[in-house]
Amino acid sequence: LAMRRKFYVSSVVCLLLHHLAALVWSARAYEEDLSLLVIAYNNIWIVVLWFLGASLQGHHLRALYAAEHDVLIEKQAWQSLTSMICDATCWLAGDGDTIVCCDD
């Protein structure tokens, strides 16, 4: 998963740098206004911040999943412990007065 993320991030960065270089070259070659360059620069920051936010959200969701998993394991452990504690120490007969079996 980490290699896939690195590939996507590096692909986006290379694409944005290529786009920025093309804008600079066209502005210099055709003596155009650099307002497109400013727009592209702002777009780059928006994309970078979006990736950063998505990465942080993914990290937060993985931590939340791990915490839920830990709580589930703890709940199962408590249920098994409670079932062991609540086991009967003696068994009564149907009349309620006769002890059929006792652990002692």
Coordinates of all heavy atoms in Angstrom, one line a residue:
L1 N 0.8 -1.2 0.0 CA 0.0 0.0 0.0 C 0.9 1.3 0.0 O 0.6 2.2 -0.7 CB -0.9 0.0 1.2 CG -1.9 1.1 1.3 CD1 -2.9 1.1 0.1 CD2 -2.6 1.1 2.6
A2 N 2.0 1.2 0.7 CA 2.8 2.4 0.8 C 3.5 2.6 -0.6 O 3.6 3.8 -1.0 CB 3.9 2.2 1.9
M3 N 3.9 1.6 -1.3 CA 4.5 1.8 -2.6 C 3.5 2.4 -3.6 O 3.9 3.2 -4.4 CB 5.0 0.4 -3.1 CG 6.2 -0.1 -2.3 SD 7.6 1.1 -2.4 CE 8.1 0.9 -4.1
R4 N 2.3 1.9 -3.5 CA 1.2 2.4 -4.4 C 1.0 3.9 -4.1 O 0.9 4.7 -5.1 CB -0.1 1.7 -4.2 CG -1.1 1.9 -5.2 CD -2.3 1.1 -5.1 NE -2.1 -0.2 -4.5 CZ -3.1 -0.9 -3.9 NH1 -4.3 -0.4 -3.8 NH2 -2.9 -2.0 -3.3
R5 N 1.0 4.3 -2.9 CA 0.8 5.7 -2.5 C 2.0 6.5 -3.0 O 1.8 7.6 -3.5 CB 0.6 5.9 -1.0 CG 0.3 7.3 -0.6 CD 0.2 7.5 0.9 NE -0.8 6.6 1.4 CZ -0.6 6.0 2.6 NH1 0.5 6.3 3.3 NH2 -1.5 5.2 3.1
K6 N 3.2 6.0 -2.8 CA 4.4 6.8 -3.3 C 4.3 6.9 -4.8 O 4.7 8.0 -5.3 CB 5.6 6.0 -2.9 CG 5.9 6.1 -1.4 CD 7.2 5.4 -1.1 CE 7.4 5.4 0.4 NZ 8.6 4.7 0.8
F7 N 3.9 5.9 -5.5 CA 3.8 6.0 -7.0 C 2.8 7.1 -7.3 O 3.0 7.9 -8.2 CB 3.4 4.6 -7.5 CG 3.1 4.7 -9.0 CD1 4.1 4.8 -9.9 CD2 1.8 4.7 -9.5 CE1 3.8 4.9 -11.3 CE2 1.5 4.7 -10.8 CZ 2.5 4.8 -11.7
Y8 N 1.6 7.1 -6.7 CA 0.6 8.1 -7.1 C 1.0 9.5 -6.7 O 0.9 10.4 -7.5 CB -0.7 7.8 -6.3 CG -1.5 6.6 -6.8 CD1 -2.1 5.7 -6.0 CD2 -1.6 6.3 -8.2 CE1 -2.8 4.6 -6.4 CE2 -2.3 5.2 -8.7 CZ -2.8 4.4 -7.8 OH -3.5 3.3 -8.3
V9 N 1.7 9.7 -5.6 CA 2.1 11.0 -5.2 C 3.2 11.5 -6.1 O 3.2 12.6 -6.6 CB 2.6 11.0 -3.7 CG1 3.4 12.3 -3.4 CG2 1.5 10.8 -2.8
S10 N 4.2 10.6 -6.5 CA 5.2 11.0 -7.4 C 4.7 11.3 -8.8 O 5.1 12.2 -9.5 CB 6.3 9.9 -7.4 OG 5.8 8.7 -8.0
S11 N 3.7 10.5 -9.2 CA 3.1 10.8 -10.5 C 2.4 12.1 -10.5 O 2.5 12.9 -11.5 CB 2.0 9.7 -10.8 OG 2.7 8.4 -10.9
V12 N 1.7 12.4 -9.5 CA 1.0 13.7 -9.4 C 2.0 14.9 -9.4 O 1.8 15.9 -10.1 CB 0.0 13.8 -8.3 CG1 -0.5 15.2 -8.0 CG2 -1.2 12.8 -8.5
V13 N 3.0 14.7 -8.6 CA 4.0 15.8 -8.5 C 4.7 16.0 -9.9 O 4.9 17.1 -10.3 CB 5.1 15.4 -7.4 CG1 6.3 16.3 -7.5 CG2 4.4 15.5 -6.0
C14 N 5.1 14.9 -10.5 CA 5.7 15.0 -11.9 C 4.7 15.7 -12.9 O 5.2 16.5 -13.7 CB 6.1 13.6 -12.4 SG 7.6 13.0 -11.5
L15 N 3.5 15.3 -12.8 CA 2.5 15.9 -13.7 C 2.4 17.4 -13.4 O 2.3 18.2 -14.4 CB 1.2 15.2 -13.5 CG 0.0 15.7 -14.4 CD1 0.3 15.4 -15.9 CD2 -1.3 15.1 -14.0
L16 N 2.3 17.8 -12.2 CA 2.2 19.2 -11.8 C 3.4 20.0 -12.2 O 3.3 21.1 -12.7 CB 1.9 19.3 -10.3 CG 0.5 18.9 -9.9 CD1 0.4 18.9 -8.4 CD2 -0.6 19.7 -10.6
L17 N 4.6 19.4 -12.0 CA 5.8 20.1 -12.4 C 5.9 20.2 -13.9 O 6.3 21.3 -14.4 CB 7.0 19.3 -11.9 CG 7.2 19.4 -10.3 CD1 8.4 18.6 -9.9 CD2 7.5 20.9 -9.9
H18 N 5.5 19.2 -14.6 CA 5.5 19.3 -16.1 C 4.5 20.4 -16.6 O 4.8 21.2 -17.5 CB 5.1 17.9 -16.7 CG 5.0 17.9 -18.2 ND1 3.8 18.2 -18.9 CD2 6.0 17.8 -19.1 CE1 4.1 18.1 -20.2 NE2 5.4 17.9 -20.3
H19 N 3.3 20.4 -15.9 CA 2.4 21.5 -16.3 C 2.9 22.9 -16.0 O 2.8 23.8 -16.8 CB 1.1 21.2 -15.5 CG 0.0 22.1 -15.9 ND1 -0.6 22.1 -17.1 CD2 -0.7 23.1 -15.1 CE1 -1.6 23.1 -17.1 NE2 -1.6 23.6 -15.9
L20 N 3.6 23.0 -14.9 CA 4.1 24.3 -14.5 C 5.2 24.7 -15.5 O 5.3 25.8 -15.9 CB 4.7 24.2 -13.1 CG 5.1 25.5 -12.4 CD1 4.0 26.5 -12.3 CD2 5.7 25.2 -11.0
A21 N 6.1 23.7 -15.8 CA 7.2 24.0 -16.8 C 6.6 24.4 -18.1 O 7.2 25.3 -18.8 CB 8.1 22.8 -16.9
A22 N 5.6 23.7 -18.6 CA 4.9 24.1 -19.9 C 4.4 25.5 -19.8 O 4.5 26.2 -20.8 CB 3.9 23.1 -20.2
L23 N 3.8 25.9 -18.7 CA 3.2 27.2 -18.6 C 4.3 28.3 -18.6 O 4.2 29.3 -19.3 CB 2.4 27.4 -17.3 CG 1.0 26.7 -17.4 CD1 0.3 26.8 -16.0 CD2 0.2 27.4 -18.4
V24 N 5.4 28.0 -17.9 CA 6.6 29.0 -17.9 C 7.1 29.1 -19.3 O 7.4 30.2 -19.8 CB 7.6 28.5 -16.9 CG1 8.9 29.3 -17.0 CG2 7.1 28.7 -15.5
W25 N 7.3 27.9 -20.0 CA 7.9 28.0 -21.3 C 7.0 28.7 -22.3 O 7.5 29.5 -23.1 CB 8.1 26.5 -21.8 CG 8.7 26.5 -23.2 CD1 10.0 26.7 -23.6 CD2 7.9 26.3 -24.4 NE1 10.1 26.6 -24.9 CE2 8.8 26.4 -25.4 CE3 6.6 26.0 -24.6 CZ2 8.4 26.2 -26.8 CZ3 6.2 25.9 -25.9 CH2 7.1 25.9 -27.0
S26 N 5.7 28.5 -22.2 CA 4.8 29.1 -23.2 C 4.7 30.6 -22.8 O 4.6 31.5 -23.7 CB 3.4 28.5 -23.1 OG 2.7 28.8 -22.0
A27 N 4.8 31.0 -21.6 CA 4.7 32.4 -21.2 C 6.0 33.2 -21.7 O 5.9 34.3 -22.2 CB 4.6 32.6 -19.7
R28 N 7.1 32.5 -21.6 CA 8.4 33.1 -22.1 C 8.4 33.1 -23.6 O 8.9 34.1 -24.3 CB 9.6 32.4 -21.5 CG 9.8 32.7 -20.1 CD 11.1 32.2 -19.6 NE 11.2 32.5 -18.1 CZ 12.1 31.9 -17.4 NH1 12.9 31.0 -17.8 NH2 12.2 32.3 -16.1
A29 N 8.0 32.0 -24.3 CA 8.1 31.9 -25.7 C 7.2 32.8 -26.4 O 7.5 33.4 -27.5 CB 7.9 30.4 -26.1
Y30 N 6.0 33.0 -25.9 CA 5.0 33.8 -26.6 C 4.7 35.1 -25.9 O 3.8 35.8 -26.3 CB 3.7 33.0 -26.7 CG 3.8 31.7 -27.5 CD1 3.8 30.5 -26.9 CD2 4.1 31.8 -28.9 CE1 4.0 29.3 -27.6 CE2 4.3 30.7 -29.6 CZ 4.2 29.4 -29.0 OH 4.4 28.3 -29.7
E31 N 5.6 35.5 -24.9 CA 5.5 36.7 -24.2 C 4.1 37.0 -23.7 O 3.5 38.0 -23.9 CB 6.0 37.9 -25.1 CG 7.4 37.7 -25.5 CD 7.8 38.8 -26.4 OE1 7.0 39.7 -26.8 OE2 9.0 38.8 -26.9
E32 N 3.5 36.0 -23.0 CA 2.2 36.0 -22.4 C 2.3 36.5 -21.0 O 3.3 36.6 -20.4 CB 1.5 34.7 -22.5 CG 1.2 34.2 -23.8 CD 0.6 32.8 -23.8 OE1 0.6 32.2 -22.8 OE2 0.2 32.3 -24.9
D33 N 1.1 36.8 -20.5 CA 1.0 37.2 -19.1 C 1.2 36.0 -18.2 O 0.9 34.9 -18.5 CB -0.4 37.8 -18.8 CG -0.6 38.4 -17.4 OD1 0.5 38.7 -16.8 OD2 -1.7 38.5 -17.0
L34 N 1.8 36.2 -17.0 CA 2.1 35.1 -16.1 C 1.0 34.8 -15.1 O 1.2 34.1 -14.2 CB 3.4 35.4 -15.3 CG 4.7 35.4 -16.1 CD1 5.9 35.7 -15.2 CD2 4.9 34.0 -16.7
S35 N -0.2 35.4 -15.4 CA -1.3 35.1 -14.5 C -1.7 33.6 -14.5 O -2.1 33.1 -13.5 CB -2.5 35.9 -14.9 OG -3.0 35.6 -16.2
L36 N -1.5 32.9 -15.6 CA -1.7 31.5 -15.7 C -0.7 30.7 -14.8 O -1.1 29.7 -14.2 CB -1.6 31.0 -17.1 CG -2.7 31.4 -18.1 CD1 -2.5 30.8 -19.5 CD2 -4.1 30.8 -17.6
L37 N 0.4 31.3 -14.7 CA 1.4 30.7 -13.8 C 1.0 30.8 -12.4 O 1.2 29.8 -11.6 CB 2.8 31.3 -14.1 CG 4.0 30.7 -13.3 CD1 4.2 29.3 -13.8 CD2 5.2 31.6 -13.6
V38 N 0.5 31.9 -12.0 CA 0.0 32.1 -10.6 C -1.2 31.2 -10.3 O -1.2 30.5 -9.3 CB -0.4 33.6 -10.4 CG1 -1.1 33.8 -9.1 CG2 0.8 34.5 -10.5
I39 N -2.1 31.0 -11.3 CA -3.2 30.1 -11.1 C -2.7 28.7 -11.0 O -3.1 27.9 -10.1 CB -4.2 30.2 -12.3 CG1 -4.8 31.6 -12.3 CG2 -5.2 29.1 -12.3 CD1 -5.6 31.9 -13.5
A40 N -1.7 28.3 -11.8 CA -1.1 26.9 -11.7 C -0.5 26.7 -10.4 O -0.6 25.6 -9.8 CB -0.2 26.7 -12.9
Y41 N 0.3 27.7 -9.9 CA 0.9 27.6 -8.6 C -0.1 27.4 -7.5 O 0.1 26.6 -6.6 CB 1.8 28.9 -8.4 CG 2.5 28.9 -7.1 CD1 3.7 28.1 -6.9 CD2 2.1 29.7 -6.0 CE1 4.4 28.1 -5.7 CE2 2.8 29.7 -4.8 CZ 3.9 28.9 -4.7 OH 4.6 28.9 -3.5
N42 N -1.2 28.1 -7.6 CA -2.2 28.0 -6.6 C -2.9 26.6 -6.7 O -3.2 26.0 -5.6 CB -3.3 29.1 -6.7 CG -2.8 30.4 -6.3 OD1 -1.9 30.5 -5.5 ND2 -3.4 31.5 -6.8
N43 N -3.1 26.1 -7.9 CA -3.6 24.8 -8.1 C -2.7 23.7 -7.5 O -3.1 22.7 -6.9 CB -3.9 24.5 -9.5 CG -5.1 25.2 -10.1 OD1 -5.9 25.7 -9.3 ND2 -5.2 25.4 -11.4
I44 N -1.4 23.9 -7.6 CA -0.4 22.9 -7.1 C -0.6 22.9 -5.6 O -0.6 21.8 -5.0 CB 1.0 23.3 -7.5 CG1 1.2 23.0 -9.0 CG2 2.0 22.6 -6.6 CD1 2.5 23.5 -9.5
W45 N -0.7 24.0 -4.9 CA -0.8 24.1 -3.5 C -2.1 23.4 -3.0 O -2.2 22.7 -2.0 CB -0.7 25.5 -2.9 CG 0.7 25.8 -2.7 CD1 1.4 26.8 -3.4 CD2 1.6 25.3 -1.8 NE1 2.7 26.8 -3.0 CE2 2.9 25.9 -2.0 CE3 1.5 24.3 -0.8 CZ2 4.0 25.6 -1.2 CZ3 2.6 24.0 0.0 CH2 3.8 24.6 -0.3
I46 N -3.2 23.6 -3.8 CA -4.5 23.0 -3.4 C -4.4 21.5 -3.5 O -4.8 20.8 -2.6 CB -5.6 23.5 -4.4 CG1 -5.9 25.0 -4.1 CG2 -6.8 22.7 -4.3 CD1 -6.8 25.7 -5.1
V47 N -3.7 21.0 -4.6 CA -3.6 19.5 -4.7 C -2.7 19.0 -3.6 O -3.0 17.9 -3.0 CB -3.0 19.2 -6.1 CG1 -2.6 17.8 -6.2 CG2 -4.1 19.5 -7.2
V48 N -1.6 19.6 -3.3 CA -0.7 19.2 -2.3 C -1.4 19.1 -0.9 O -1.3 18.1 -0.2 CB 0.6 20.0 -2.2 CG1 1.4 19.8 -1.0 CG2 1.4 19.8 -3.4
L49 N -2.1 20.2 -0.6 CA -2.9 20.2 0.7 C -4.0 19.2 0.7 O -4.2 18.6 1.7 CB -3.4 21.6 0.9 CG -2.4 22.7 1.2 CD1 -3.1 24.0 1.3 CD2 -1.6 22.3 2.5
W50 N -4.6 18.9 -0.4 CA -5.7 17.9 -0.5 C -5.0 16.5 -0.2 O -5.6 15.7 0.5 CB -6.3 17.9 -1.9 CG -7.5 16.9 -1.9 CD1 -8.8 17.1 -1.5 CD2 -7.4 15.6 -2.4 NE1 -9.5 16.0 -1.7 CE2 -8.7 15.0 -2.3 CE3 -6.4 14.8 -2.9 CZ2 -9.0 13.7 -2.6 CZ3 -6.7 13.5 -3.3 CH2 -8.0 13.0 -3.2
F51 N -3.9 16.2 -0.8 CA -3.2 14.9 -0.6 C -2.8 14.8 0.9 O -2.9 13.7 1.4 CB -2.0 14.8 -1.5 CG -2.4 14.1 -2.8 CD1 -2.3 14.8 -4.0 CD2 -2.8 12.8 -2.9 CE1 -2.6 14.2 -5.2 CE2 -3.1 12.2 -4.1 CZ -3.0 12.9 -5.2
L52 N -2.3 15.9 1.4 CA -1.9 15.9 2.8 C -3.1 15.6 3.7 O -3.1 14.8 4.6 CB -1.3 17.2 3.2 CG -0.8 17.3 4.7 CD1 0.3 16.3 5.0 CD2 -0.3 18.7 4.9
G53 N -4.2 16.3 3.5 CA -5.5 16.0 4.2 C -6.0 14.6 4.1 O -6.4 14.0 5.0
A54 N -5.9 14.1 2.8 CA -6.4 12.7 2.6 C -5.5 11.7 3.3 O -5.9 10.7 3.9 CB -6.4 12.4 1.1
S55 N -4.2 12.0 3.3 CA -3.3 11.1 4.0 C -3.5 11.1 5.5 O -3.5 10.0 6.2 CB -1.8 11.5 3.7 OG -0.9 10.7 4.4
L56 N -3.7 12.3 6.1 CA -4.0 12.4 7.5 C -5.3 11.7 7.9 O -5.4 11.0 8.9 CB -4.0 13.9 7.9 CG -2.6 14.6 7.9 CD1 -2.8 16.0 8.3 CD2 -1.7 13.9 8.9
Q57 N -6.3 11.9 7.0 CA -7.6 11.2 7.3 C -7.4 9.7 7.2 O -8.0 9.0 8.0 CB -8.6 11.7 6.3 CG -10.0 11.2 6.6 CD -11.0 11.7 5.6 OE1 -10.7 12.2 4.6 NE2 -12.3 11.5 5.9
G58 N -6.7 9.2 6.3 CA -6.4 7.8 6.2 C -5.7 7.3 7.4 O -6.1 6.2 7.9
H59 N -4.7 8.0 7.9 CA -4.0 7.6 9.1 C -5.0 7.6 10.3 O -5.0 6.6 11.1 CB -2.9 8.6 9.3 CG -2.1 8.3 10.6 ND1 -1.3 7.1 10.8 CD2 -2.1 8.9 11.8 CE1 -0.8 7.2 12.0 NE2 -1.2 8.2 12.6
H60 N -5.8 8.6 10.4 CA -6.8 8.6 11.5 C -7.8 7.5 11.4 O -8.1 6.9 12.4 CB -7.5 10.0 11.4 CG -8.6 10.1 12.4 ND1 -8.4 10.2 13.8 CD2 -10.0 10.1 12.3 CE1 -9.5 10.3 14.4 NE2 -10.5 10.2 13.6
L61 N -8.3 7.1 10.2 CA -9.2 6.0 10.1 C -8.6 4.7 10.4 O -9.2 3.8 11.0 CB -9.8 6.0 8.7 CG -10.8 7.2 8.4 CD1 -11.2 7.1 6.9 CD2 -12.0 7.1 9.3
R62 N -7.3 4.5 10.0 CA -6.6 3.3 10.3 C -6.4 3.2 11.9 O -6.6 2.1 12.4 CB -5.2 3.2 9.6 CG -5.3 2.8 8.2 CD -3.9 2.6 7.6 NE -3.1 3.8 7.6 CZ -3.1 4.7 6.6 NH1 -4.0 4.6 5.7 NH2 -2.3 5.7 6.7
A63 N -6.1 4.3 12.5 CA -6.0 4.2 14.0 C -7.3 3.9 14.6 O -7.4 3.2 15.6 CB -5.4 5.6 14.5
L64 N -8.4 4.5 14.1 CA -9.7 4.2 14.6 C -10.1 2.8 14.4 O -10.6 2.1 15.3 CB -10.7 5.1 13.9 CG -12.2 5.1 14.4 CD1 -12.2 5.5 15.9 CD2 -13.0 6.0 13.6
Y65 N -9.8 2.2 13.3 CA -10.1 0.8 13.0 C -9.3 -0.1 14.0 O -9.8 -1.1 14.6 CB -9.7 0.4 11.6 CG -9.8 -1.1 11.3 CD1 -11.1 -1.6 11.2 CD2 -8.7 -1.9 11.3 CE1 -11.2 -3.0 10.9 CE2 -8.9 -3.2 11.1 CZ -10.1 -3.8 10.9 OH -10.2 -5.1 10.7
A66 N -8.0 0.2 14.2 CA -7.2 -0.5 15.2 C -7.8 -0.5 16.6 O -7.8 -1.5 17.3 CB -5.7 0.0 15.2
A67 N -8.2 0.7 17.0 CA -8.8 0.8 18.3 C -10.1 0.0 18.4 O -10.4 -0.6 19.4 CB -9.1 2.3 18.6
E68 N -10.9 0.0 17.4 CA -12.2 -0.8 17.4 C -11.8 -2.3 17.5 O -12.5 -3.0 18.2 CB -13.0 -0.5 16.1 CG -13.8 0.7 16.1 CD -14.7 0.8 14.9 OE1 -14.9 -0.2 14.2 OE2 -15.1 2.0 14.6
H69 N -10.8 -2.7 16.7 CA -10.4 -4.1 16.8 C -9.9 -4.5 18.2 O -10.3 -5.5 18.7 CB -9.3 -4.3 15.8 CG -8.9 -5.7 15.6 ND1 -9.7 -6.7 15.1 CD2 -7.8 -6.4 16.0 CE1 -9.1 -7.8 15.1 NE2 -7.9 -7.7 15.6
D70 N -9.2 -3.6 18.8 CA -8.7 -3.8 20.2 C -9.9 -3.9 21.2 O -9.9 -4.8 22.1 CB -7.7 -2.8 20.6 CG -6.4 -2.8 19.9 OD1 -6.1 -3.9 19.2 OD2 -5.7 -1.8 19.9
V71 N -10.8 -3.1 21.0 CA -12.0 -3.1 21.9 C -12.8 -4.4 21.7 O -13.3 -5.0 22.6 CB -12.9 -1.9 21.7 CG1 -14.3 -2.0 22.3 CG2 -12.2 -0.6 22.2
L72 N -12.9 -4.8 20.4 CA -13.6 -6.1 20.2 C -12.9 -7.3 20.8 O -13.6 -8.1 21.4 CB -13.7 -6.3 18.6 CG -14.4 -7.6 18.2 CD1 -15.9 -7.6 18.6 CD2 -14.3 -7.8 16.7
I73 N -11.6 -7.3 20.7 CA -10.8 -8.4 21.4 C -11.0 -8.3 22.9 O -11.2 -9.4 23.5 CB -9.3 -8.3 20.9 CG1 -9.2 -8.7 19.5 CG2 -8.5 -9.2 21.8 CD1 -7.8 -8.5 18.9
E74 N -10.9 -7.1 23.4 CA -11.1 -7.0 24.9 C -12.5 -7.4 25.3 O -12.7 -8.1 26.3 CB -10.9 -5.6 25.3 CG -10.9 -5.3 26.8 CD -10.5 -3.9 27.2 OE1 -9.9 -3.2 26.3 OE2 -10.7 -3.6 28.3
K75 N -13.5 -7.1 24.5 CA -14.9 -7.5 24.8 C -15.0 -9.0 24.8 O -15.7 -9.6 25.7 CB -15.9 -6.9 23.8 CG -17.3 -7.2 24.0 CD -18.2 -6.7 22.9 CE -19.6 -7.1 23.1 NZ -20.5 -6.6 22.0
Q76 N -14.4 -9.6 23.8 CA -14.5 -11.1 23.8 C -13.8 -11.7 25.0 O -14.3 -12.7 25.5 CB -13.9 -11.6 22.5 CG -14.7 -11.3 21.2 CD -14.0 -11.6 19.9 OE1 -12.8 -11.9 19.9 NE2 -14.8 -11.6 18.8
A77 N -12.7 -11.1 25.4 CA -12.0 -11.7 26.5 C -12.8 -11.5 27.8 O -12.9 -12.4 28.6 CB -10.6 -10.9 26.7
W78 N -13.5 -10.3 28.0 CA -14.3 -10.1 29.1 C -15.5 -11.1 29.1 O -15.9 -11.6 30.2 CB -14.8 -8.7 29.2 CG -13.8 -7.8 29.9 CD1 -13.0 -6.9 29.4 CD2 -13.6 -7.8 31.3 NE1 -12.2 -6.3 30.3 CE2 -12.6 -6.8 31.6 CE3 -14.1 -8.5 32.4 CZ2 -12.1 -6.5 32.8 CZ3 -13.6 -8.2 33.7 CH2 -12.6 -7.3 33.9
Q79 N -16.1 -11.4 28.0 CA -17.2 -12.3 27.9 C -16.8 -13.7 28.3 O -17.5 -14.4 29.0 CB -17.8 -12.3 26.5 CG -18.6 -11.1 26.2 CD -19.1 -11.0 24.8 OE1 -18.7 -11.8 23.9 NE2 -20.1 -10.2 24.5
S80 N -15.6 -14.1 27.8 CA -15.1 -15.5 28.2 C -14.8 -15.5 29.6 O -15.1 -16.5 30.3 CB -14.0 -15.9 27.3 OG -12.8 -15.1 27.6
L81 N -14.2 -14.5 30.2 CA -13.9 -14.5 31.6 C -15.2 -14.5 32.5 O -15.3 -15.2 33.4 CB -13.0 -13.2 31.9 CG -12.6 -13.1 33.4 CD1 -11.7 -14.2 33.8 CD2 -11.9 -11.8 33.6
T82 N -16.1 -13.7 32.0 CA -17.4 -13.6 32.8 C -18.1 -15.0 32.7 O -18.7 -15.4 33.7 CB -18.3 -12.5 32.2 OG1 -17.6 -11.3 32.2 CG2 -19.6 -12.4 33.0
S83 N -18.1 -15.6 31.6 CA -18.7 -16.9 31.5 C -18.1 -17.9 32.4 O -18.7 -18.8 32.9 CB -18.8 -17.4 30.1 OG -17.5 -17.7 29.6
M84 N -16.7 -17.8 32.6 CA -16.0 -18.7 33.5 C -16.4 -18.4 35.0 O -16.5 -19.3 35.8 CB -14.5 -18.7 33.3 CG -14.1 -19.4 32.0 SD -12.3 -19.4 31.9 CE -11.9 -17.8 31.3
I85 N -16.5 -17.2 35.3 CA -16.8 -16.8 36.7 C -18.2 -17.2 37.0 O -18.5 -17.6 38.2 CB -16.6 -15.3 36.9 CG1 -15.1 -14.9 36.8 CG2 -17.1 -14.8 38.2 CD1 -14.8 -13.5 36.8
C86 N -19.1 -17.0 36.1 CA -20.6 -17.3 36.4 C -20.9 -18.8 36.2 O -22.1 -19.1 36.3 CB -21.4 -16.4 35.4 SG -21.2 -14.7 35.7
D87 N -20.0 -19.6 36.0 CA -20.3 -21.1 36.0 C -20.8 -21.5 37.3 O -20.4 -21.0 38.4 CB -19.1 -21.9 35.6 CG -18.8 -21.8 34.1 OD1 -19.7 -21.4 33.4 OD2 -17.7 -22.2 33.7
A88 N -21.7 -22.5 37.3 CA -22.3 -23.0 38.6 C -21.3 -23.8 39.4 O -20.4 -24.5 38.8 CB -23.5 -23.9 38.3
T89 N -21.3 -23.6 40.7 CA -20.5 -24.4 41.6 C -21.2 -25.6 42.1 O -20.5 -26.5 42.6 CB -20.0 -23.5 42.8 OG1 -21.1 -23.0 43.4 CG2 -19.1 -22.4 42.3
C90 N -22.5 -25.6 42.0 CA -23.2 -26.8 42.3 C -24.5 -26.9 41.5 O -25.0 -25.9 41.1 CB -23.5 -26.9 43.8 SG -24.6 -25.6 44.4
W91 N -25.0 -28.1 41.3 CA -26.2 -28.3 40.5 C -27.3 -28.8 41.4 O -27.1 -29.8 42.2 CB -25.9 -29.3 39.4 CG -24.9 -28.8 38.4 CD1 -23.6 -29.0 38.3 CD2 -25.2 -27.9 37.3 NE1 -23.0 -28.3 37.3 CE2 -24.0 -27.6 36.6 CE3 -26.4 -27.3 36.8 CZ2 -23.9 -26.8 35.5 CZ3 -26.3 -26.5 35.6 CH2 -25.1 -26.3 35.0
L92 N -28.4 -28.2 41.3 CA -29.6 -28.7 42.1 C -30.5 -29.6 41.3 O -30.6 -29.4 40.1 CB -30.4 -27.5 42.6 CG -29.7 -26.5 43.6 CD1 -30.6 -25.4 43.9 CD2 -29.2 -27.2 44.8
A93 N -31.1 -30.5 42.0 CA -32.1 -31.4 41.4 C -33.4 -30.6 41.1 O -33.5 -29.4 41.4 CB -32.4 -32.5 42.3
G94 N -34.3 -31.2 40.4 CA -35.6 -30.6 40.0 C -36.4 -30.1 41.2 O -37.1 -29.1 41.1
D95 N -36.3 -30.8 42.3 CA -37.1 -30.3 43.5 C -36.5 -29.1 44.2 O -37.1 -28.4 45.0 CB -37.2 -31.5 44.5 CG -35.9 -31.9 45.1 OD1 -34.8 -31.3 44.7 OD2 -35.9 -32.9 45.9
G96 N -35.2 -28.7 43.9 CA -34.6 -27.5 44.4 C -34.0 -27.7 45.8 O -33.4 -26.8 46.3
D97 N -34.1 -28.9 46.4 CA -33.6 -29.2 47.7 C -32.4 -30.1 47.6 O -31.5 -30.2 48.6 CB -34.6 -29.8 48.6 CG -35.7 -28.8 48.9 OD1 -35.4 -27.6 49.0 OD2 -36.9 -29.2 49.1
T98 N -32.2 -30.9 46.6 CA -31.2 -31.9 46.5 C -30.0 -31.4 45.6 O -30.2 -30.9 44.5 CB -31.7 -33.2 45.9 OG1 -32.9 -33.6 46.6 CG2 -30.7 -34.3 46.0
I99 N -28.8 -31.5 46.2 CA -27.6 -31.2 45.4 C -27.2 -32.4 44.6 O -26.9 -33.5 45.1 CB -26.4 -30.7 46.3 CG1 -26.8 -29.4 47.0 CG2 -25.2 -30.5 45.5 CD1 -25.8 -28.9 48.0
V100 N -27.2 -32.3 43.3 CA -26.8 -33.4 42.4 C -25.3 -33.5 42.2 O -24.7 -34.5 42.2 CB -27.5 -33.2 41.0 CG1 -27.2 -34.3 40.1 CG2 -29.0 -33.1 41.2
C101 N -24.6 -32.3 42.0 CA -23.2 -32.3 41.7 C -22.6 -31.1 42.4 O -23.2 -30.0 42.4 CB -23.0 -32.3 40.2 SG -21.2 -32.3 39.8
C102 N -21.4 -31.2 42.9 CA -20.7 -30.0 43.5 C -19.3 -30.1 43.1 O -18.6 -31.1 43.0 CB -20.9 -30.1 45.0 SG -20.2 -28.7 45.9
D103 N -18.6 -28.9 43.0 CA -17.2 -28.8 42.6 C -16.3 -29.1 43.8 O -15.1 -29.4 43.6 CB -16.9 -27.4 42.0 CG -17.5 -27.2 40.6 OD1 -17.9 -28.2 40.0 OD2 -17.6 -26.1 40.2
D104 N -16.8 -28.9 44.9 CA -15.9 -29.1 46.1 C -15.7 -30.5 46.3 O -15.6 -31.4 46.7 CB -16.5 -28.4 47.3 CG -16.5 -26.9 47.2 OD1 -15.7 -26.4 46.5 OD2 -17.4 -26.3 47.8

